[in-house]
Each structure stands twice: as structure tokens, then as C-alpha cells.
Amino acid sequence: MKEYKPKFTTMMFETVLGLCATWFIYNLVGKFTHSFLFAVIGAIVVFVLFFYKIFYVDFISITLTEDRKMLVKRFNKVIKSFEIDNYYWSEYSKYSKTKNAEDQDIYYVSKENGKEDSIDLSNFKGEDYEQLLMDLGAKVDNDPAIKVATIKK
């Protein structure tokens, strides 16, 4: 059984970004409205939304069990369960063949109905993300390189 958890330093970095965004909104709204109350309300809204995203939405862990199941947990409670063999796994969306370098999403397509969805793993270490892709079969290390014959003129 393998468990992948979010990286603490990434969460702290995003928290600092959230505090900076809160300060920016506070100053911006205060400058345009000249109202302390509106500035504080705007800052609180940004603060709450950032913390909701960082410490609730993105705070997941992934467990791979011996019986080929993947469990997505939040606060040690299973929120999604997958039979690994019932899905196609990829680091790319089926609608796109490219991805952003910082993008850490795992896409899965149901073999039964073809419905695609994704799991955002932006809080995970890069090594854990790559290892998880290999464990799911989305990435294979031992694929031989494809050689293309070129014609020289």
C-alpha cells in the first residue's frame, strides 16, 4: 500500500500568496471606495477563498492498495474510490496533447462510458506525481525510443 501526501512547503507558499493577495485587495478596494468596511470585507472574502482552496479543496492524499484500487482521501475520509483497471490514466487530457510545465493533473477516462475527469495534484511533489503516473500505468519508463529514418538530399 502506497500513500502520497501533499507537500507542506507548497501549501505554505500558497498561504503566503493568499496573504499577499488579501493585502493587495484590501489596499485596492480601500483606495477606490475610501471605505474601511468595504476594504475589510473584500480582504476577508479573498482570505477565506484562498484558505478554502489550499486547506480543503487541494488537501487530499492518494492511497494505492494491493488490490488495484486508488483511494482519494481528505482528512482521512475516502471521498473517491477507483478501480485502477476500469480507467485509462494519462497526464494529458483526451482533448489536448500538450500540457503546461507546472500542470500536475491526472486525467482518467472511464472504459465503460468514456467520461473524462481529472484530479489536481498541484500540492504534491514532482517526484510523487511522476511515480503515481507510473504506478497507474499512464507513463512507462522502459518504452524504447522511436527512431525515424530521415532522407538526406
Side-chain angles (χ1 to χ4, degrees):
M1 187 158 103
K2 284 186 180 179
E3 185 164 10
Y4 299 96
K5 294 186 178 189
K7 190 172 158 184
F8 180 74
T9 54
T10 303
M11 293 173 60
M12 289 300 105
F13 177 71
E14 289 180 357
T15 301
V16 169
L17 289 179
L19 292 173
C20 291
T22 300
W23 181 252
F24 176 75
I25 294 297
Y26 170 77
N27 287 322
L28 187 69
V29 172
K31 180 154 182 84
F32 286 115
T33 63
H34 302 291
S35 171
F36 175 74
L37 180 62
F38 287 148
V40 169
I41 290 172
I44 289 173
V45 167
V46 169
F47 181 79
V48 168
L49 290 176
F50 256 90
F51 273 62
Y52 174 75
K53 182 186 180 324
I54 295 167
F55 293 105
Y56 184 76
V57 173
D58 289 347
F59 194 69
I60 61 171
S61 65
I62 293 183
T63 304
L64 299 176
T65 63
E66 277 80 25
D67 57 346
R68 301 283 297 156
K69 285 189 180 181
M70 182 175 87
L71 306 174
V72 180
K73 298 179 183 179
R74 182 177 290 131
F75 302 116
N76 288 328
K77 182 180 176 188
V78 176
I79 57 173
K80 281 188 183 178
S81 176
F82 298 97
E83 289 284 338
I84 294 174
D85 298 328
N86 292 344
Y87 294 91
Y88 298 109
W89 301 92
S90 176
E91 61 183 319
Y92 303 100
S93 170
K94 70 178 182 179
Y95 303 109
S96 173
K97 297 297 181 211
T98 61
K99 75 174 204 166
N100 189 351
E102 294 86 29
D103 188 22
Q104 284 192 184
D105 291 336
I106 292 183
Y107 295 92
Y108 55 94
V109 178
S110 172
K111 290 182 180 178
E112 295 173 4
N113 59 15
K115 183 179 176 189
E116 181 185 52
D117 205 355
S118 66
I119 302 171
D120 180 17
L121 301 178
S122 57
N123 280 347
F124 284 59
K125 293 180 188 174
E127 303 86 38
D128 286 349
Y129 172 71
E130 295 294 327
Q131 184 62 44
L132 186 57
L133 283 172
M134 284 193 272
D135 291 344
L136 293 173
K139 220 177 202 184
V140 180
D141 258 353
N142 299 331
D143 276 350
I146 299 172
K147 295 184 180 183
V148 178
T150 57
I151 301 172
K152 296 182 182 179
K153 292 184 179 182

